[in-house]
């Protein structure tokens, strides 16, 4: 197990380093000058030069890369060109929205998807299966921003139960935090439903595969109750592909939610990247991208460890 | 018992409505499209900064009022010397910054010298170019000496880029702005909102609002739902799009179409063939049908312009008839220029809807006289680099939103590549003239020169779509400068 972990960590580290080179150099060749964007159309050349000097943009690219990567090694992500704060602070602030949102959405989608998938698989080919999987198909097909707008019109504009968007921020008191949580309900639902639809379909097909295995027949033959066979023997073995998808979904939910963040004007990580690209605040884009690469590597590692926990054979063979 | 509870309920409702009527609301949530990069108006051009801090947090020596007039602010009064080169400002006394430090003549000297300095990152450094020295006479008097008389000096000092900052808070202003205005900075939740609260120690007339939140809503659809759900009370310039008729029909809201300082033009690269030929530029001007463009790009709300000047300005001259829509004339001019069969060119369009929508209409209009335009959509950063900085373009559609900016036509090396000594001498004279009547006449001359030279296709003045709760009053109808002055805003019930 330790050798397995060490190997995975080494591969992960190499991936991280390789992506840092790609991320940095690809972004640096983008057209657009951050100083010009900040100062606008009326700025004089001297003012531009003064700002470039202040932002350190006058130095050659390889030097700036080395500076940046050395900083990363000690956890210093640099300072944003446009916002006058460190990239780390910006990221941490945005994670306060993105992380809870991703966790709530993933929890919701898992709570919906797994029972539905298992239920459909248990009734394979029957009407219940067709209906639930048909509904899941619709769920996959519906664009989440459209679904989000629908939710807003019903629950915010019509019933006025929740705000139509925005995020008041986490506060000291319980009431403040409840307001913050309330602001995340609709976006979480809008994100979770399409994810749940995908996950339900994956769960069902994995379950259907497993249900055909010999050990399921054996379990049934020895008179084990149907429910136990389904939930303890079949589901546990079907979980590997489900976990893989969940890992991917979590990474997506953390930063790939730009559209939903726009519809609900939430200050999440996705919006941070989007804004930073528009303003050519490259150091922020680079920082967030590196964080995401690291997260995906870690999630994959965690998923691998989960495989090993679920399936002892994987533990021994590596 | 049941009757009793019904009565109690009715009484409570009555009580709730009557207290609401007695004391009007004192909070306001204002929706804005863009989040500013920081909050120091003296160190960045972003209009989003001024939209929050101007007149609310920061004040200058003078300020610009709702109809674009110069009003006294931190300078109570001033005298101008005979030769027009010395301005003596009498400052208000008893004014303090939000951090408690006092405001005096030293702060004025500091602010102006900081903006003029070699390493200054003030985006409008040219506003201060005429200043030679700033002298402190006493704590409440400052003398500014100019190198030459400058008619627009008092107006210049009213810009957001010229607000007075204190040396004690200069470095913090980007994150925690400290000014002298009627509102104090409270909190900036990045990506979400900036909150201001009333300043109890304000020197002037106290404001009616206790708490103001500027909420950033970049998405057009989200701004509509935010308004309908009551999350946001007002948008001083809303991107409502197709939802505007729905909002107009709703008695809860008031829709006010006002004007801005945004001259929207079809900019032409005067330094590049065939646009260096005035006949080609005239042909294009004749081929443009402004009415159709205004209808498509601004839902009919833009005001047509014939030169680079705002119709709201008193020096405005109506030149929209210089090159009337006339396709035969346009074709004739093209033929004269040796381009009877037309030509191909690119039209580079920045992201705002007026440019993208207007650009498509322009492309189809120019096709009528044989000019084939390839539309190249660009994001903002790309546009600034390629078109604005490197002048690598044929045609583009853009709104110039700075107030009174006709002087850009006299600049060397500006992206129009336009060079006319006659205009330059008019602008130079204007800069030295202080007499208002004479200034208006010079502005008129400048408008005529660039209209006749058909430097660009002059399209329309960008409208401002103000939408707010019908119970709010005091928001600006027009925007002579990019600001959301909330000092006079109140709820009527």
């Amino acid at each position: 197990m330790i050798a397995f972990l060490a190997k995975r960590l080494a591969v992960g580290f190499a991936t991280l380093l390789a992506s840092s080179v790609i991320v940095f150099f690809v972004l640096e060749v983008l057209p657009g000058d951050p100083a010009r964007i900040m100062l606008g159309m009326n700025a004089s050349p001297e003012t531009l030069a003064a700002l470039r000097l202040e932002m350190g943009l006058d130095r050659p690219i390889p030097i700036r890369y080395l500076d940046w990567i050395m900083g990363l090694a000690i956890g210093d992500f640099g300072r944003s060109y446009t916002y006058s704060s460190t990239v780390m602070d910006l990221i941490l602030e945005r994670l306060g929205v993105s992380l809870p949102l991703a966790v709530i959405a993933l929890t919701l989608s898992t709570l919906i998807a797994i029972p539905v998938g298992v239920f459909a698989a248990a009734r394979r080919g029957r009407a219940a299966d067709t209906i639930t999987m048909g509904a899941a198909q619709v769920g996959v097909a519906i664009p989440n921003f459209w679904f989000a707008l629908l939710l807003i019109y019903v629950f915010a504009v019509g019933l006025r139960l929740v705000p139509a968007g925005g995020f008041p921020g986490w506060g000291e008191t319980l009431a403040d935090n409840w307001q913050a949580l309330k602001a995340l309900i609709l976006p979480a639902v809008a994100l979770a439903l399409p994810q749940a639809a995908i996950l339900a379909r994956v769960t069902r097909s994995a379950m259907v595969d497993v249900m055909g295995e010999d050990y399921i027949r054996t379990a049934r033959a020895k008179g084990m109750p149907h429910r136990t066979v389904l939930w303890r023997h079949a589901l546990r073995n079907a979980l590997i592909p489900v976990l893989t998808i969940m890992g991917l979904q979590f990474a997506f939910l953390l930063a790939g939610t730009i559209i939903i963040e726009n519809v609900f004007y939430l200050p999440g990580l996705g919006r941070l990247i989007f804004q930073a690209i528009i303003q050519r605040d490259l150091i922020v884009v680079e920082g967030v991208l590196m964080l995401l690469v690291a997260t995906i590597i870690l999630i994959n590692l965690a998923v691998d460890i989960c495989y090993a926990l679920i399936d002892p054979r994987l533990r021994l063979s590596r | 018992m049941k009757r009793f509870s019904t009565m109690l309920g009715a009484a409570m409702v009555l009580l709730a409505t009557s207290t609401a009527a007695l004391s009007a609301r004192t909070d306001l949530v204002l929706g804005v499209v863009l989040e500013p990069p920081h909050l120091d108006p003296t160190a960045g051009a972003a209009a989003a900064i001024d939209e929050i801090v101007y007149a609310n947090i920061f004040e200058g020596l003078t300020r610009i009022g709702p109809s674009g007039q110069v009003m006294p602010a931190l300078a109570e009064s001033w005298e101008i010397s005979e030769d027009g080169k010395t301005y003596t400002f009498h400052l208000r006394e008893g004014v303090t910054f939000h951090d408690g430090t006092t405001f005096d003549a030293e702060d004025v000297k500091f602010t102006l010298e900081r903006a003029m300095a070699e390493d200054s990152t003030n985006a409008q450094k040219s506003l201060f170019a005429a200043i030679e020295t700033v002298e402190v006479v006493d704590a409440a008097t400052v003398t500014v000496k100019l190198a030459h008389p400058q008619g627009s000096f008092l107006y210049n000092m009213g810009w957001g880029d010229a607000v007075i900052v204190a040396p004690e808070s200069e470095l913090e202003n980007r994150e925690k702005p400290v000014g002298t205005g009627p509102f104090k900075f409270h909190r900036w939740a990045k990506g979400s909102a900036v909150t201001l609260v009333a300043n109890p120690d304000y020197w002037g007339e106290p404001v009616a609002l206790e708490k103001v939140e500027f909420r950033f809503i970049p998405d057009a659809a989200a701004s509509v739902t935010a308004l309908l759900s009551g999350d946001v009370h007002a948008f001083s310039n809303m991107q409502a799009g197709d939802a505007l008729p729905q909002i107009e029909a709703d008695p809860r809201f008031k829709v006010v179409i006002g004007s801005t300082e945004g001259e929207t033009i079809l900019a032409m690269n005067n330094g590049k063939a065939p646009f260096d030929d005035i006949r080609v530029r005239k042909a294009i001007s004749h081929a443009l049908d402004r009415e159709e463009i205004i209808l498509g790009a601004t839902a009919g709300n833009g005001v047509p312009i014939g030169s680079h000047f705002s119709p709201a300005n008193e020096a405005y001259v109506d030149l929209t008839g210089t090159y009337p829509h006339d396709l035969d004339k346009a074709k004739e001019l093209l033929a004269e220029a040796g381009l009877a069969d037309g030509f191909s060119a690119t039209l580079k369009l920045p992201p705002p809807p007026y440019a993208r929508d207007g650009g498509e209409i322009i492309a189809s209009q120019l096709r009528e006289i044989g000019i084939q335009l390839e539309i190249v959509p660009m994001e903002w950063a790309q546009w600034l680099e390629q078109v604005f900085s490197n002048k690598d373009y044929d045609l583009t559609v853009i709104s110039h939103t700075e107030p009174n900016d006709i002087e850009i036509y006299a600049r060397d090396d500006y992206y129009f590549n336009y060079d006319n000594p006659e205009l330059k001498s008019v602008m130079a004279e204007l800069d030295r003239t202080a007499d208002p009547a004479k200034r208006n006449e010079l502005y008129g001359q400048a408008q005529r020169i660039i209209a006749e030279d058909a430097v660009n296709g002059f399209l329309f003045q960008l409208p401002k779509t103000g939408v707010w709760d019908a119970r709010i009053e005091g928001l600006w109808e027009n925007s002579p400068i990019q600001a959301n002055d909330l000092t006079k805003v109140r709820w009527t019930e």
Side-chain angles (χ1 to χ4, degrees):
Chain A
M1 188 71 184
I2 288 171
F4 160 74
L5 268 181
K7 200 174 126 196
R8 302 297 314 213
L9 274 174
V11 171
F13 186 73
T15 318
L16 206 57
L17 204 63
S19 30
S20 79
V21 175
I22 297 171
V23 162
F24 194 87
F25 286 92
V26 166
L27 283 176
E28 292 294 333
V29 299
L30 265 182
D33 171 6
R36 164 68 78 186
I37 292 163
M38 279 185 74
L39 292 176
M41 309 206 333
N42 264 8
S44 66
E46 305 89 71
T47 323
L48 274 174
L51 186 64
R52 281 204 199 100
L53 192 71
E54 195 186 303
M55 305 203 297
L57 288 172
D58 52 327
R59 296 173 307 153
I61 293 177
I63 305 267
R64 269 155 51 206
Y65 172 75
L66 282 181
D67 240 28
W68 177 67
I69 198 80
M70 303 288 261
L72 284 190
I74 55 165
D76 175 9
F77 280 62
R79 188 167 266 276
S80 157
Y81 297 151
T82 44
Y83 290 124
S84 316
S85 51
T86 64
V87 177
M88 198 53 170
D89 285 343
L90 283 175
I91 291 177
L92 287 178
E93 208 165 14
R94 300 306 176 102
L95 272 180
V97 180
S98 285
L99 200 62
L101 184 61
V103 170
I104 300 172
L106 192 72
T107 314
L108 255 173
S109 102
T110 312
L111 287 179
I112 300 170
I114 292 190
V116 167
V118 171
F119 172 79
R123 284 166 185 69
R124 183 152 73 110
R126 285 193 253 162
D129 178 28
T130 318
I131 292 168
T132 45
M133 282 305 110
Q137 186 63 50
V138 174
V140 174
I142 288 179
N144 59 8
F145 65 88
W146 180 84
F147 182 58
L149 278 176
L150 205 69
L151 288 174
I152 293 174
Y153 271 102
V154 175
F155 294 101
V157 175
L159 301 174
R160 299 215 171 188
L161 289 175
V162 283
F167 184 73
W170 301 106
E172 319 267 281
T173 66
L174 208 61
D176 280 354
N177 286 330
W178 167 236
Q179 286 304 323
L181 195 65
K182 237 167 93 173
L184 293 182
I185 295 176
L186 286 191
V189 173
L191 283 171
L193 239 62
Q195 303 292 330
I198 297 170
L199 202 59
R201 292 177 64 82
V202 173
T203 310
R204 177 188 171 274
S205 60
M207 283 291 286
V208 166
D209 281 351
V210 171
M211 297 288 275
E213 295 285 337
D214 291 345
Y215 59 84
I216 298 292
R217 199 179 44 212
T218 312
R220 283 210 175 120
K222 71 178 185 189
M224 205 174 256
H226 182 63
R227 180 168 299 195
T228 321
V229 174
L230 206 59
W231 292 98
R232 282 200 45 201
H233 292 250
L235 182 62
R236 184 166 178 171
N237 284 291
L239 271 182
I240 287 193
V242 174
L243 271 179
T244 314
I245 297 291
M246 279 173 64
L248 290 174
Q249 286 188 341
F250 188 71
F252 162 79
L253 286 172
L254 209 51
T257 58
I258 297 174
I259 295 174
I260 287 292
E261 284 176 15
N262 250 328
V263 173
F264 290 99
Y265 50 102
L266 290 174
L269 269 187
R271 271 260 306 279
L272 180 65
I273 300 187
F274 184 71
Q275 257 179 320
I277 291 177
I278 288 186
Q279 293 168 329
R280 290 293 184 276
D281 196 350
L282 298 182
I283 192 132
V284 172
V285 183
E286 288 153 4
V288 181
L289 286 182
M290 287 314 290
L291 180 85
L292 290 178
V293 172
T295 315
I296 290 176
I297 291 172
L298 278 178
I299 289 175
N300 282 338
L301 188 69
V303 169
D304 280 348
I305 293 171
C306 287
Y307 288 170
L309 292 179
I310 295 171
D311 188 343
R313 285 172 305 181
L314 294 178
R315 244 176 293 177
L316 299 172
S317 64
R318 286 188 215 172
Chain B
M1 188 64 199
K2 185 157 181 237
R3 185 177 299 159
F4 173 72
S5 64
T6 317
M7 272 168 62
L8 190 71
M12 277 167 72
V13 170
L14 216 65
L15 197 70
T17 43
S18 64
T19 42
L22 281 176
S23 57
R25 293 183 72 147
T26 56
D27 64 319
L28 181 78
V29 181
L30 191 82
V32 288
V33 177
L34 292 177
E35 173 164 23
H38 58 78
L39 294 170
D40 183 355
T42 64
I49 303 174
D50 282 339
E51 282 172 5
I52 292 176
V53 303
Y54 189 79
N56 299 327
I57 296 181
F58 287 111
E59 297 169 309
L61 289 173
T62 62
R63 55 161 297 180
I64 314 294
S67 49
Q69 76 278 33
V70 176
M71 294 168 23
L74 289 175
E76 209 165 13
S77 61
W78 49 79
E79 284 127 32
I80 309 171
S81 67
E82 284 290 315
D83 62 357
K85 295 207 300 199
T86 310
Y87 284 72
T88 308
F89 291 99
H90 300 288
L91 309 177
R92 265 177 223 282
E93 292 183 63
V95 176
T96 53
F97 282 93
H98 299 153
D99 61 357
T101 55
T102 46
F103 158 81
D104 60 25
E106 292 293 341
D107 296 304
V108 176
K109 184 176 162 73
F110 169 77
T111 300
L112 297 181
E113 285 180 349
R114 170 175 174 262
M116 291 152 55
E118 191 80 21
D119 60 347
S120 154
T121 53
N122 194 301
Q124 309 291 348
K125 222 174 155 182
S126 63
L127 295 177
F128 312 93
I131 300 178
E132 221 161 43
T133 57
V134 184
E135 281 163 37
V136 173
V137 179
D138 58 52
T141 316
V142 179
T143 317
V144 179
K145 287 214 165 61
L146 305 185
H148 54 79
Q150 187 180 40
S152 59
F153 184 66
L154 289 174
Y155 186 87
N156 290 354
M157 291 302 103
W159 280 54
D161 305 81
V163 296
I164 303 300
V165 297
E168 294 88 353
S169 43
E170 168 215 4
L171 298 171
E172 315 250 291
N173 281 339
R174 286 165 163 257
E175 289 294 305
K176 273 197 209 123
V178 173
T180 55
F183 291 99
K184 286 196 293 190
F185 171 80
H186 176 60
R187 197 168 90 101
W188 180 3
K190 294 270 163 62
S192 164
V194 167
T195 318
L196 315 182
V197 292
N199 171 15
D201 305 321
Y202 185 53
W203 56 266
E205 193 187 324
V207 285
L209 297 172
E210 289 286 328
K211 188 172 172 229
V212 177
E213 186 181 330
F214 290 86
R215 203 173 282 180
F216 313 123
I217 310 183
D219 187 69
S223 60
V224 175
T225 52
L227 184 79
L228 293 179
S229 67
D231 289 0
V232 170
H233 305 131
F235 287 91
S236 70
N237 196 2
M238 186 178 187
Q239 24 169 11
D242 299 337
L244 195 61
Q246 183 198 346
I247 298 169
E248 274 178 319
D250 194 327
R252 286 181 294 162
F253 308 113
K254 197 151 61 180
V255 176
V256 180
I257 308 287
S259 66
T260 68
E261 284 294 318
E263 289 83 20
T264 313
I265 56 173
L266 170 67
M268 306 192 219
N269 192 342
N270 285 232
K272 190 176 172 190
F275 307 101
D276 53 349
D277 186 334
I278 186 165
R279 288 167 298 188
V280 173
R281 299 201 303 266
K282 280 184 180 175
I284 291 175
S285 303
H286 275 300
L288 295 172
D289 180 355
R290 286 199 194 89
E291 232 167 86
E292 209 178 270
I293 299 168
I294 289 171
L295 202 62
T298 70
N301 291 324
V303 178
I305 51 170
S307 186
H308 197 103
F309 217 71
S310 163
N313 195 304
E314 56 171 9
Y316 173 73
V317 181
D318 185 354
L319 295 165
T320 48
T322 314
Y323 300 105
H325 180 55
D326 184 344
L327 293 180
D328 293 332
K329 185 90 188 155
K331 282 180 197 152
E332 215 173 279
L333 282 161
L334 271 192
E336 267 177 46
L339 291 162
D341 299 331
F343 59 91
S344 304
T346 58
L347 174 60
K348 294 187 169 170
L349 300 177
Y354 70 77
R356 295 277 164 92
D357 298 345
E360 282 178 27
I361 299 167
I362 288 167
S364 79
Q365 287 176 354
L366 295 192
R367 202 173 299 129
E368 307 253 333
I369 59 165
I371 303 176
Q372 306 293 336
L373 292 185
E374 184 201 344
I375 291 182
V376 187
M378 296 193 145
E379 52 163 332
W380 199 233
Q382 236 182 334
W383 186 92
L384 275 174
E385 169 133 337
Q386 283 192 25
V387 178
F388 192 78
S389 301
N390 299 340
K391 305 171 196 72
D392 173 17
Y393 78 108
D394 298 332
L395 298 171
T396 184
V397 176
I398 184 74
S399 201
H400 280 260
T401 52
E402 263 95 18
N404 272 347
D405 56 356
I406 195 168
E407 55 88 22
I408 55 179
Y409 288 79
R411 284 196 198 177
D412 291 315
D413 208 34
Y414 205 63
Y415 77 109
F416 307 144
N417 279 324
Y418 173 67
D419 183 15
N420 183 340
E422 195 193 341
L423 180 79
K424 281 186 182 152
S425 75
V426 171
M427 293 313 300
E429 201 186 332
L430 184 73
D431 197 32
R432 289 188 304 267
T433 310
D435 174 48
K438 184 81 180 108
R439 284 180 67 81
N440 287 355
E441 192 192 314
L442 290 165
Y443 268 131
Q445 279 181 30
Q447 291 173 58
R448 283 198 189 89
I449 294 170
I450 60 167
E452 266 148 37
D453 275 350
V455 185
N456 295 313
F458 301 104
L459 306 174
F460 56 85
Q461 200 70 17
L462 200 65
K464 165 172 143 10
T465 311
V467 177
W468 47 83
D469 192 302
R471 294 167 294 174
I472 296 175
E473 59 176 32
L475 281 160
W476 285 14
E477 183 182 329
N478 299 318
S479 66
I481 44 164
Q482 288 157 324
N484 290 307
D485 174 358
L486 300 176
T487 52
K488 299 274 184 286
V489 177
R490 62 177 72 245
W491 289 84
T492 54
E493 54 185 76

